[in-house]
Amino acid sequence: MTTSSIIAVVGGINMDLVFETERAPDKGESLDAKSIAYFPGGKGANTAIALHRTSHTKPANTDATIKQDDGSGIVDRHDIRVFMNSAVGDDQFGVELKATLENHGINISGVQTVKGPSGICCVVVEIKNGASRGLAYQAANLEWNASDPHTIESLACGFRPDLVITHLGIPRKRIEKILETATKAGVDTILNPSPADYLVITTYKNVTHLILNKQEAAHLTAQEYADLATPVGWAKAAAYFVDKGVDNVVITLAEKGAYFATRGEKKGKIDAVKDVAVKDTTGAGDTFVGMYAVEVIQQKKRGQWDIEAAIKRACKASARTIERLGAQESIPWLDEIDG
């Protein structure tokens, strides 16, 4: 049995209600959608699925449940074991959301079931260009608490994770505590501050990798969104986070790719994949985070860190995601990324 790497994810789990429309309605305007579909989603859950899919080839029978573990957290054939931490409501959505994660071999012992509704997100997708907008009601996600916020092992069934990924679908103060606990334990962290919220400045020194889009970067640096339209703006925003203590900053730029900067003064831009048939941009950012995290783990095993290679791989995976409708179902498997 090979030693597997452990990644703990802390973030929201939602059911997405996806509306396809010719265009998003303007203020005060009502429009009819062309279709509606329900898809499991939530940034935390999407990232967990992305971690699994981008590190495994597509199984012959995708309807079959992928074996997780026997309660010990040990999985025979998987190099990466994923532990999800969040909460769902005691409703039918909650049952479905947990089942989807479990069917992907993800450990859901950290997914709590609380009284009330599960998180839900209304996603509006424009048919012509695949642009999406989401409005989430976090509901049960706001009730999640770590079983022991002072030990990082509590996020992975008592095992020490090699990497902790956090999103802000969970209340900010709890995420800040997790990042602090991980840093004290010497565990690398990824923070995707979405939905964007104010963060205590001292939190940034506990972030190994900060991955965010232009809107989130503008919000957290108190810049105008228009300022993030140029390389000068990207560099200024990235430098802000590096100055606050972040080791690696990645600002995703949609069809333009991504800009990065590190504490080692390495910086640059990686182009996006060209000629992509965009169907739905939902889940692209979560796929990026998941694939980037897989690169972090795999490169660490080889004793190296090439941020440019990680971003290029994450851009490829994200490009595959936006070619299909929905978040989790559109995330590519390992053997689909280069297709």
Side-chain angles (χ1 to χ4, degrees):
M1 182 183 294
T2 59
T3 302
S4 298
S5 297
I6 296 175
I7 302 179
V9 180
V10 184
I13 303 177
N14 299 326
M15 182 63 76
D16 290 346
L17 276 64
V18 181
F19 297 84
E20 283 193 298
T21 178
E22 294 295 341
R23 61 176 177 83
D26 292 327
K27 184 178 180 179
E29 180 184 27
S30 296
L31 294 175
D32 288 334
K34 298 298 183 180
S35 70
I36 182 173
Y38 291 77
F39 293 105
K43 300 195 72 64
N46 294 346
T47 298
I49 298 289
L51 288 167
H52 179 83
R53 286 194 173 203
T54 61
S55 60
H56 294 80
T57 56
K58 186 175 182 177
N61 180 7
T62 54
D63 292 326
T65 298
I66 299 169
K67 180 174 173 53
Q68 164 55 22
D69 58 53
D70 59 6
S72 67
I74 302 299
V75 181
D76 285 341
R77 58 189 176 84
H78 295 170
D79 290 331
I80 294 177
R81 293 147 56 194
V82 184
F83 290 76
M84 184 69 213
N85 296 269
S86 189
V88 297
D90 57 352
D91 53 12
Q92 186 57 37
F93 282 166
V95 174
E96 295 175 20
L97 292 168
K98 290 176 70 173
T100 299
L101 290 165
E102 197 166 31
N103 288 345
H104 275 82
I106 293 164
N107 187 297
I108 60 170
S109 59
V111 179
Q112 302 160 3
T113 299
V114 300
K115 190 173 181 60
S118 296
I120 195 165
C121 185
C122 172
V123 181
V124 177
V125 179
E126 296 186 5
I127 295 172
K128 288 184 178 180
N129 55 22
S132 65
R133 297 166 175 81
L135 181 64
Y137 175 57
Q138 296 296 346
N141 294 305
L142 302 178
E143 303 302 318
W144 179 84
N145 281 286
S147 59
D148 183 355
H150 302 290
T151 62
I152 207 63
E153 290 81 5
S154 69
L155 301 179
C157 259
F159 295 95
R160 176 187 170 87
D162 298 283
L163 181 67
V164 173
I165 303 175
T166 59
H167 299 275
L168 292 182
I170 301 296
R172 172 182 59 82
K173 290 184 179 180
R174 293 170 202 167
I175 294 299
E176 289 174 338
K177 179 61 180 176
I178 287 167
L179 292 170
E180 178 186 0
T181 301
T183 299
K184 287 181 177 178
V187 175
D188 286 345
T189 61
I190 292 178
L191 171 62
N192 174 225
S194 180
D197 192 6
Y198 165 80
L199 290 166
V200 174
I201 294 300
T202 54
T203 296
Y204 290 112
K205 65 180 173 55
N206 297 322
V207 178
T208 315
H209 306 270
L210 179 68
I211 303 175
L212 68 175
N213 63 25
K214 292 187 295 182
Q215 291 92 334
E216 291 150 2
H219 180 81
L220 293 174
T221 59
Q223 294 187 66
E224 294 295 329
Y225 177 64
D227 294 340
L228 273 293
T230 67
V232 172
W234 309 334
K236 181 180 178 181
Y240 171 90
F241 296 118
V242 171
D243 289 344
K244 296 296 183 290
V246 179
D247 290 332
N248 303 276
V249 178
V250 181
I251 300 175
T252 56
L253 308 170
E255 72 278 0
K256 292 183 179 180
Y259 179 87
F260 69 91
T262 73
R263 291 186 72 181
E265 299 186 354
K266 192 173 185 179
K267 60 187 71 173
K269 179 181 175 294
I270 302 298
D271 290 334
V273 176
K274 306 299 182 184
D275 302 320
V276 178
V278 181
K279 175 71 172 179
D280 176 12
T281 57
T282 308
D286 306 327
T287 301
F288 187 102
V289 173
M291 183 73 260
Y292 181 98
V294 169
E295 279 289 309
V296 169
I297 289 294
Q298 292 179 341
Q299 288 194 37
K300 191 172 183 179
K301 280 187 173 181
R302 299 192 295 267
Q304 66 184 65
W305 174 233
D306 183 345
I307 189 172
E308 294 184 59
I311 294 172
K312 287 177 183 178
R313 192 70 175 158
C315 284
K316 273 191 173 183
S318 295
R320 300 285 78 82
T321 296
I322 63 179
E323 293 175 330
R324 290 179 283 188
L325 188 66
Q328 293 174 13
E329 284 303 310
S330 65
I331 295 170
W333 294 87
L334 174 62
D335 50 325
E336 296 176 328
I337 295 173
D338 294 310

